[in-house]
């Protein structure tokens, strides 16, 4: 499928590479060299991941080849704060911040949004996949065990669903399945088929 | 965790073994020798997986050791038929039946239920986890590609969520995350903690 095209995944995430492989397509991985994640303050929160995915695509460090298809994505975790405002839960800078984030996620529902942009030389499409993830209550001992053993400092929301904490904490999900792991592959597949006419 | 106990998973499923490993616990795998899956016709559909999990536990082929904890599980796929009755979608016996099942799942929502039983010499608990899984429309070519390449004849509902079809077909899920893969590990973990007092 899509054999006439050179598909490039511009992401350093091993998880995204694994998920895209699940589509049984050939592709190469070439992370973007521009990692700027700036966006305007007046952008609605639920548009941010898609904006960043498009930005990663538009600022890719080289021109696309004639038959090339570039896939970029950005995943963010959101939690409503005490003022009812949706707040981005970023990557924790240290164990203390990871603890504080996981205490907030404990016994609450948060949102995982992934924005995806798929671009060729003549066409560009983007979309957002959203999932609600509910954590049951976590004890301080459980949170500390996870942080010490798994060191989730490179992870938005301070957790990886495929790690221990994803197994013991998540009571419910609602939304896209593979989005929670980092790439909504069902919509990627459908969009590729529409764009490439196969 | 649970180091004083000998935990036994009575299942031949590599996927369940992988999911239980995600809890960071030591356990051994010893599939039950009694694979009878009989149940009474007057049992409500949503009680069947838990009944079968308890049956697998009660009919385990040997006595449990003093500190042993036996985990059994049964996963079934259900789809409402044209008369509004929930029907068990079993394992397909051949490619023709797999095609017929996947045509029915296409563009519909089905349910995945896993019953789990956890038993020691002095205690036994069981529960059911449920998830709604929605497939987008699949073309006959897509269904045939999947059946020919992945041969899903050992799979309830004729599909594995971790295979190609799980990546291209599933548009939405609602319920337990890891249940869809075969074992609701969050509730297994919580139940073990309750039962073993850790």
């Amino acid at each position: 499928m899509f054999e006439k095209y050179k598909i490039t995944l511009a992401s350093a995430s091993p998880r995204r590479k694994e998920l895209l492989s699940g589509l049984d397509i050939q592709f190469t991985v070439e992370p973007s060299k521009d990692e700027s994640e700036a966006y305007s303050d007046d952008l609605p929160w639920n548009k941010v991941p898609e904006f960043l995915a498009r930005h990663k695509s538009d600022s890719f460090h080289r021109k696309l080849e004639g038959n090339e298809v570039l896939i970029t994505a950005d995943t963010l975790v959101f939690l409503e704060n005490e003022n009812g405002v949706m707040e981005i839960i970023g990557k924790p800078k240290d164990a203390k911040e990871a603890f504080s984030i996981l205490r907030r996620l404990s016994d609450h529902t948060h949102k995982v949004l992934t924005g995806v942009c798929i671009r060729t030389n003549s066409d560009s499409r983007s979309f957002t996949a959203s999932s609600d993830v509910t954590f049951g209550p976590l004890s301080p001992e459980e949170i500390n065990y996870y942080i010490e053993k798994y060191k989730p400092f490179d992870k938005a929301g301070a957790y990886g669903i495929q790690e221990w904490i994803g197994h013991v904490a998540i009571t419910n999900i609602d939304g896209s399945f593979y989005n929670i792991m980092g790439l909504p592959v069902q919509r990627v597949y459908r969009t590729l088929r529409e764009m490439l006419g196969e």
Side-chain angles (χ1 to χ4, degrees), chain A residues 21-143:
Chain A
S21 300
L23 295 182
D24 289 359
I25 59 175
Q26 297 292 316
F27 63 95
T28 53
V29 173
E30 186 176 336
S32 175
K33 287 174 186 165
D34 177 358
E35 284 299 305
S36 140
E37 299 211 333
Y39 56 90
S40 165
D41 276 348
D42 57 10
L43 194 64
W45 65 272
N46 57 2
K47 299 291 182 193
V48 173
E50 191 173 332
F51 173 86
L52 293 174
R54 277 200 307 267
H55 178 77
K56 282 179 187 175
S57 188
D58 293 340
S59 62
F60 194 60
H61 52 271
R62 61 168 177 79
K63 285 194 175 169
L64 302 189
E65 295 173 33
N67 65 339
E68 191 167 4
V69 182
L70 183 71
I71 301 176
T72 52
D74 195 87
T75 300
L76 290 173
V77 172
F78 296 87
L79 182 67
E80 201 174 275
N81 71 16
E82 54 203 6
N83 303 316
V85 175
M86 289 305 273
E87 195 181 302
I88 293 179
I89 308 296
K91 298 173 183 177
K93 63 178 188 303
D94 55 26
K96 194 177 159 201
E97 197 176 327
F99 186 88
S100 157
I101 289 173
L102 290 170
R103 284 281 273 191
R104 287 184 64 192
L105 298 186
S106 169
D107 219 8
H108 283 86
T109 298
H110 62 272
K111 284 182 186 292
V112 177
L113 266 66
T114 299
V116 176
C117 180
I118 303 182
R119 183 165 71 85
T120 66
N121 266 325
S122 59
D123 197 359
S124 173
R125 305 205 190 177
S126 63
F127 57 85
T128 302
S130 175
S131 311
D132 287 353
V133 179
T134 303
F135 271 35
L138 286 168
S139 70
E141 292 73 27
E142 288 170 327
I143 293 174

